Amino acid sequence: MSRSWQQSRSLFAAASKVIPGGVNSPVRAFKSVDGEPLFIKRALGSKLWDADNNEYIDYVGSWGPAIAGHAHPEVLKTISEVAVSGISFGAPTELETDLARAVIERLPSIEMIRFVSSGTEACMSVLRVARAFTRRSRIIKFEGCYHGHGDMLLVKAGSGAATLGVPDSPGVPPGTASDTLTVPYNDLGAVAALFEKHPEEVAALIIEPIVGNSGFIRPDVGFLEGLRSLCSKFGALLIFDEVMTGFRVGMQGVQGLHSISPDLTCLGKVIGGGMPLAAYGGRRDIMAMVAPSGPVYQAGTLSGNPVAVSCGLKTLEIISRPGFFDNLSRRTRMLVDGLRSCAERNEIPFAADCEGGMFGFFFNGRPVRNFTDAKTSDITRFKKFFWGMLENGVYMAPSAFEAGFVSAAHSDEDIQRTLEIADKVMKGCR
Ligand code: KE4
């Protein structure tokens, strides 16, 4: 029995009259799967319910934050207990120091940290600090990596920008983008060539150390380590944008998996547990430049507000419990291995990978090492798979250029059910 989406349709029509594209963030719009978005009414654990009361197993998880599961009772209790004492004061609270310490304990490369309200803010701010610290202007980023919608970063970006096929957005003045150099992911030679060409001009190199915004793309063996050496050799700062991977692929992010110390790190999503909270941090000598301790200005009315911080603190506490990531990784691996088996049984070219609670897949028979490879995937087949899964109660990212997320609330039964549905849907995708 096909699902009715009438309520979502009419809500979308109403929203579209007052909100550009009917959504407050483009990738939610289902444009890249040629459809209209579902309006979500509520979520609990691993499930979502849309405005037509259809139930789904959710693998978007608010694009990463919902790692503990939606509406986790302990998180809700914490938020309500803090909120009754006031939501935001525009003044420091002890909770911010607690969260700063909690992050610093878990990520040794971070000696000082500043909280902001979005990953975009974190990435914009960290580059301003890097440019001030090095007194240099150029930035190196990678095609298909997305670091928020800051002007200087919206160049050959991934995620929504890639999905919408407008990697270089209108409205970004040429002068702003001209200092942003882009190279293919996993191409260490191209990075070395850029450094040789601009030996004393590069302020920083920023990277998604595992890409989630072109789909899931893993660094080649030695790639990240090579970037660390090149940045050190040429006096540029190495910035890991772990907004998506931080506290998602493991307790110490990708930097922990590779035992690499970036000079600066951006965090978001999980660190706020679903509330608007992100951060940037790193070496004390660099972060000391941030106002008011130093001259680099960065500010925010709601930065570090107690409600968001309490949500992040409780989320970090939950994911720090013994066995959390072992269980999360096991279930994510079960999903990915199962999807790969479904594709093999149906003789469909398919590649899938995961790390911790983050996964991705491409309808592609070749290895996907960069954004150019990702774009050779069978998007038509992806769309067919996406809609087949959605119609059968599985909510996946509405874009071939996104990652998926499993939460602690996803049960073995959820994964098994997902794989049964995938087997049926894949048959229709042959
Ligand atoms: P926000 O400004 O959306 O909080 O964070 C920007 C950002 C920065 N860095 C990385 C690695 C990110 O993945 C993101 C945001 N990710 C997208 C999903 N691919 C957010 C979803 C959306 O744009 O609506």
Side-chain angles (χ1 to χ4, degrees):
M1 181 190 74
S2 71
R3 294 174 172 234
S4 159
W5 290 323
Q6 282 314 306
Q7 280 302 313
S8 282
R9 293 247 190 290
S10 59
L11 289 171
F12 181 57
S16 300
K17 292 191 175 76
V18 290
I19 298 171
V23 293
N24 284 303
S25 197
V27 74
R28 303 176 189 171
F30 278 39
K31 268 192 176 301
S32 71
V33 289
D34 306 328
E36 295 184 355
L38 301 188
F39 275 61
I40 303 304
K41 193 161 68 171
R42 71 185 181 95
L44 179 64
S46 61
K47 303 296 185 305
L48 290 176
W49 287 266
D50 67 18
D52 295 276
N53 272 325
N54 298 304
E55 180 182 301
Y56 303 86
I57 303 172
D58 176 27
Y59 290 102
V60 175
S62 183
W63 301 100
I67 194 167
H70 289 295
H72 190 292
E74 293 179 66
V75 174
L76 296 184
K77 182 170 179 291
T78 298
I79 292 174
S80 52
E81 283 170 354
V82 170
V84 293
S85 302
I87 292 176
S88 180
F89 314 124
T93 65
E94 186 180 358
L95 283 173
E96 293 152 83
T97 309
D98 295 344
L99 184 57
R101 286 181 178 144
V103 175
I104 288 166
E105 275 163 24
R106 291 163 175 80
L107 292 176
S109 74
I110 297 182
E111 295 174 322
M112 290 199 95
I113 191 168
R114 167 60 64 85
F115 296 116
V116 293
S117 297
S118 73
T120 293
E121 244 190 299
C123 294
M124 282 168 58
S125 308
V126 83
L127 288 171
R128 186 179 307 133
V129 177
R131 283 168 155 167
F133 182 79
T134 59
R135 300 175 187 277
R136 298 176 178 183
S137 302
R138 291 191 187 278
I139 300 162
I140 295 176
K141 76 174 286 290
F142 293 85
E143 291 162 17
C145 283
Y146 178 69
H147 307 289
H149 61 84
D151 276 358
M152 70 289 211
L153 286 163
L154 211 51
V155 177
K156 292 192 177 64
S159 184
T163 300
L164 295 176
V166 282
D168 301 308
S169 171
V172 176
T176 310
S178 62
D179 278 329
T180 303
L181 309 169
T182 56
V183 283
Y185 199 80
N186 276 323
D187 188 340
L188 199 56
V191 178
L194 268 186
F195 272 118
E196 294 294 346
K197 188 176 174 191
H198 307 283
E200 294 180 4
E201 299 171 55
V202 178
L205 179 149
I206 187 167
I207 189 168
E208 290 185 61
I210 290 180
V211 184
N213 289 293
S214 307
F216 184 107
I217 299 177
R218 191 181 285 277
D220 288 348
V221 174
F223 178 59
L224 298 177
E225 293 73 9
L227 295 178
R228 176 64 279 176
S229 306
L230 282 170
C231 286
S232 301
K233 177 181 172 186
F234 287 93
L237 299 181
L238 177 61
I239 301 172
F240 273 15
D241 176 355
E242 297 222 46
V243 165
M244 186 184 286
T245 55
F247 304 116
R248 168 56 70 173
V249 300
M251 184 50 75
Q252 293 194 320
V254 177
Q255 57 192 270
L257 296 176
H258 287 257
S259 305
I260 290 180
S261 270
D263 299 298
L264 295 162
T265 298
C266 298
L267 296 167
K269 297 179 190 277
V270 169
I271 192 179
M275 298 290 279
L277 190 144
Y280 64 98
R283 280 170 36 193
R284 183 178 295 275
D285 59 328
I286 302 171
M287 291 302 291
M289 294 201 70
V290 180
S293 59
V296 180
Y297 198 70
Q298 181 268 308
T301 303
L302 299 176
S303 297
N305 75 79
V307 177
V309 168
S310 69
C311 186
L313 269 169
K314 178 54 73 176
T315 301
L316 274 192
E317 182 201 315
I318 291 168
I319 70 172
S320 302
R321 289 171 185 165
F324 181 91
F325 276 102
D326 291 344
N327 288 324
L328 187 68
S329 303
R330 180 181 61 79
R331 290 204 174 100
T332 310
R333 175 57 63 190
M334 186 197 295
L335 174 69
V336 164
D337 290 348
L339 289 173
R340 203 182 290 121
S341 306
C342 289
E344 280 160 14
R345 280 195 299 276
N346 289 285
E347 296 171 337
I348 292 174
F350 186 83
D353 197 355
C354 64
E355 188 65 51
M358 178 176 161
F359 70 93
F361 56 86
F362 295 100
F363 285 94
N364 200 325
R366 301 181 331 172
V368 176
R369 295 180 53 251
N370 57 39
F371 189 39
T372 302
D373 293 347
K375 287 189 286 186
T376 66
S377 303
D378 186 334
I379 305 301
T380 303
R381 196 169 248 164
F382 169 81
K383 292 176 193 176
K384 200 166 183 167
F385 180 72
F386 170 80
W387 285 107
M389 296 299 278
L390 193 69
E391 281 157 8
N392 284 278
V394 177
Y395 190 87
M396 291 195 152
S399 159
F401 301 114
E402 292 291 352
F405 304 98
V406 176
S407 82
H410 283 77
S411 63
D412 287 1
E413 292 70 30
D414 287 331
I415 305 296
Q416 281 309 329
R417 174 82 185 117
T418 303
L419 295 174
E420 285 160 14
I421 293 167
D423 213 25
K424 182 176 113 182
V425 173
M426 286 260 194
K427 284 187 178 59
C429 294
R430 298 182 72 156

